Amino acid sequence: MPSRVDTTVDEVEAAHKDEQFDMRFPSYLGFWKRSVPGLDEHPRFDMYDEPHKKRKQQILNDHPEIKELYGYDTSTVWITMATVCVQMGLAYVFGRILTDWHWTMVLVAYTVGGSFSTQIGIIFHEFTHNLCAATTLQNRWVGNFANIPLLVPLAQSFRRYHLEHHTYQGVYGYDPDLPLEWEIKLIGNDPVKKFMWLIIYGVMYIGRGLAQQKQLSRWELYNWAWSIACDIAIYKFCGLRGILYLVISVLLGFGLHPGAAHFIQEHYTFRDGQETYSYYGSGNYFWLNIGYHNEHHDFPLVPWTKLPEIKRLAPEYYDDLAYHTSWCAVLYMFVTSSLLAPQSRVVRTLDAHRYARKNLKIPSTEEAKQLASVKDEFVARLKLAADMSMEKARARSIAKTKQQ
C-alpha cells in the first residue's frame, strides 16, 4: 500500500489549512483522479472523509421529507422464507430424487441456486441495517434463518463488517471491503487473473474479514452453533449430494455471476472523484434494489422497497452521478479494460477521515452562496496539486522500474 497511508495528523492539518468548510459541497465528489493500472501502483489516496454522511445532511437540508422513508419492510421476511424454502427444496430434489442428473444440477445451481444465494447476501444487507423487522433481535434471526442454505455461518459476521464498511468507507485498515495489498499485487492488470479473481471473489470477501483477526463476537458464536445444527439437519434430510448442490450454488453465485457484479459496481472507480456507483437496471427487481448504492449509503435507514423514491425526491443529487445499467457489462469491463483492476479504489487514512469529518463543515445555504465565488479557484488549485502529486508518483514508479 502507498506510503501516504502513513500520513501524520500534522500533514493532514497542513493539507486543509485554508479550509473551514468542506469544499466538495454539494455533491461531495472528490478532487482525486482514479488510479490507472500501468501508470499507478496503488489505489488513489484521498485527504477527505468518506462522503456519504455529509451528502446525507446536505440532501436532508433540501429534502427533509426523505426522513419519512425511514423504517423497515416486513415483506423481506416473506422473501427470506421463500428463498430458503426454494433452495432447501432443490437440495432435497437433487439429493434424494434426481441423483444422477449431474450437469443439470450444476446448471440449476448456477442459474437458480446462484441467484438465490446472492439474494440471501442482499437479505443479510437488509437485516444488518434493521430494515426487515421492528427490533434488532428480530432482524438478527431473520439473518440466521436466511443463512441456512449458505451452510457457512456468515450472517452475523457480515453484519459486523458491513457496518464498519459504512463507518470507515475507504479507510485503509478499517474498511473490510477494500482489496488486500497482496490481492492488488498478485492480480495486477492481467485479464486472465482478473477473471479468475472474480470467480473466487466470494471467498476473497470472507478472507478480508478474517485478515482483520478479530475475536468472534457473541452473536457470531450463536451463528456458528445455529449453522452447525442446520447443516446436520440438511445432511440428514437431503444427503451429501444435497449439500453439494448448496455448495456449488454458493461458489458459483458469489463468483462470476450477474448477482455478484454489484461487488465491483459499488466502489471500484470508473470515474474521477466518484467512489460510489449505483446500478439502475432490471436486476434490481429480483435482487432487492441492491443497485441503488449511492442512495443506500446516503440513507442506510431506508428499506430496499423505498430506495428508488430517494432518487425521485432528490434528482439533483443523483442524476449527474455516473451509474451502471448492466451488471454483465460491469464484469466484462472489469476483466477486459486496461483502466480497471483491483487497485481501482480510493483509500484514506483514519487521521484524514477523522480530521475532515470533524473540522470541515457543511456550509449552510447562505454560506454556500458566499463560497461559490471562490470554490472554482479552490477546486482548480486542488486538482492541479493532485495532478502534480500523481505525476511525481508515476515518475518515481517509472524510474524504479528502469532501475530494476
Side-chain angles (χ1 to χ4, degrees):
M1 197 55 65
S3 59
R4 297 191 69 182
V5 299
D6 298 322
T7 301
T8 65
V9 176
D10 290 340
E11 288 174 313
V12 172
E13 291 180 358
H16 295 296
K17 63 179 181 179
D18 297 326
E19 291 181 80
Q20 180 182 359
F21 298 97
D22 193 324
M23 299 297 280
R24 296 177 298 174
F25 77 91
S27 67
Y28 291 91
L29 294 177
F31 304 124
W32 46 268
K33 290 197 174 183
R34 59 180 176 154
S35 176
V36 178
L39 294 177
D40 304 300
E41 295 182 0
H42 309 287
R44 183 61 65 225
F45 181 82
D46 186 30
M47 275 286 197
Y48 287 82
D49 52 326
E50 70 84 24
H52 293 285
K53 186 172 183 179
K54 289 177 177 175
R55 271 181 58 85
K56 170 188 172 181
Q57 189 56 55
Q58 184 84 50
I59 295 171
L60 285 177
N61 289 342
D62 294 335
H63 299 280
E65 67 274 16
I66 289 179
K67 283 188 175 181
E68 298 174 11
L69 302 177
Y70 290 5
Y72 60 92
D73 193 329
T74 56
S75 67
T76 310
V77 177
W78 297 105
I79 292 171
T80 302
M81 294 173 65
T83 299
V84 172
C85 287
V86 168
Q87 277 296 83
M88 298 315 301
L90 287 171
Y92 180 82
V93 166
F94 287 113
R96 297 300 189 189
I97 302 174
L98 304 179
T99 56
D100 58 348
W101 290 36
H102 307 305
W103 288 110
T104 301
M105 183 180 76
V106 174
L107 179 62
V108 173
Y110 180 78
T111 56
V112 180
S115 297
F116 279 114
S117 293
T118 50
Q119 188 181 70
I120 288 171
I122 296 162
I123 291 168
F124 286 176
H125 191 258
E126 291 295 297
F127 101 81
T128 290
H129 295 284
N130 291 337
L131 301 176
C132 302
T135 68
T136 300
L137 179 62
Q138 291 171 336
N139 277 280
R140 282 190 181 274
W141 276 104
V142 170
N144 281 346
F145 184 77
N147 201 146
I148 293 173
L150 300 189
L151 302 176
V152 181
L154 297 174
Q156 305 307 323
S157 295
F158 178 89
R159 183 183 190 275
R160 178 182 189 178
Y161 291 111
H162 183 71
L163 292 176
E164 290 182 359
H165 163 62
H166 273 263
T167 303
Y168 300 110
Q169 180 180 314
V171 177
Y172 180 66
Y174 290 81
D175 182 357
D177 188 64
L178 290 172
L180 300 173
E181 185 175 357
W182 70 263
E183 290 179 72
I184 294 172
K185 290 181 179 179
L186 177 64
I187 305 305
N189 197 24
D190 186 316
V192 175
K193 289 182 179 180
K194 288 193 287 184
F195 181 84
M196 299 302 295
W197 185 66
L198 290 178
I199 289 177
I200 62 167
Y201 197 87
V203 176
M204 295 309 308
Y205 205 77
I206 296 172
R208 293 170 194 165
L210 294 174
Q212 297 201 7
Q213 300 180 336
K214 294 185 177 181
Q215 193 169 21
L216 291 177
S217 67
R218 178 166 56 95
W219 271 98
E220 286 176 298
L221 292 173
Y222 292 162
N223 197 175
W224 270 92
W226 167 260
S227 291
I228 291 171
C230 290
D231 291 351
I232 293 171
I234 293 170
Y235 175 75
K236 180 178 179 180
F237 289 103
C238 301
L240 188 61
R241 185 177 165 83
I243 288 181
L244 179 62
Y245 163 77
L246 294 175
V247 170
I248 296 173
S249 295
V250 172
L251 292 177
L252 295 182
F254 286 95
L256 201 66
H257 191 286
H262 67 90
F263 291 120
I264 303 299
Q265 158 237 309
E266 292 167 350
H267 297 294
Y268 284 83
T269 52
F270 292 78
R271 178 183 182 182
D272 294 342
Q274 184 174 330
E275 60 184 285
T276 305
Y277 299 79
S278 288
Y279 156 82
Y280 303 129
S282 58
N284 283 317
Y285 292 110
F286 180 82
W287 281 285
L288 311 185
N289 286 334
I290 191 65
Y292 285 82
H293 208 62
N294 265 302
E295 292 83 351
H296 166 67
H297 265 272
D298 291 342
F299 298 98
L301 297 182
V302 175
W304 68 273
T305 49
K306 297 179 180 179
L307 289 176
E309 187 67 7
I310 296 173
K311 186 175 185 296
R312 190 192 69 80
L313 290 172
E316 69 273 25
Y317 286 98
Y318 296 99
D319 287 352
D320 291 335
L321 298 179
Y323 60 90
H324 299 282
T325 58
S326 169
W327 275 328
C328 291
V330 168
L331 296 175
Y332 179 80
M333 281 192 294
F334 186 83
V335 171
T336 62
S337 175
S338 61
L339 299 178
L340 292 167
Q343 72 181 64
S344 301
R345 297 293 294 259
V346 60
V347 299
R348 48 182 59 86
T349 64
L350 183 62
D351 286 334
H353 172 73
R354 285 177 171 171
Y355 182 89
R357 176 62 51 84
K358 179 181 178 181
N359 296 286
L360 303 185
K361 302 175 185 177
I362 302 171
S364 65
T365 303
E366 285 302 314
E367 288 167 336
K369 289 179 181 178
Q370 296 172 7
L371 291 169
S373 60
V374 298
K375 181 180 178 180
D376 289 344
E377 180 184 348
F378 175 86
V379 172
R381 179 160 44 87
L382 205 62
K383 286 186 174 181
L384 178 61
D387 287 345
M388 291 177 65
S389 175
M390 180 178 63
E391 292 302 324
K392 288 178 180 179
R394 289 175 178 174
R396 287 194 298 269
S397 176
I398 293 171
K400 181 180 177 181
T401 302
K402 288 181 177 180
Q403 288 175 359
Q404 294 175 347

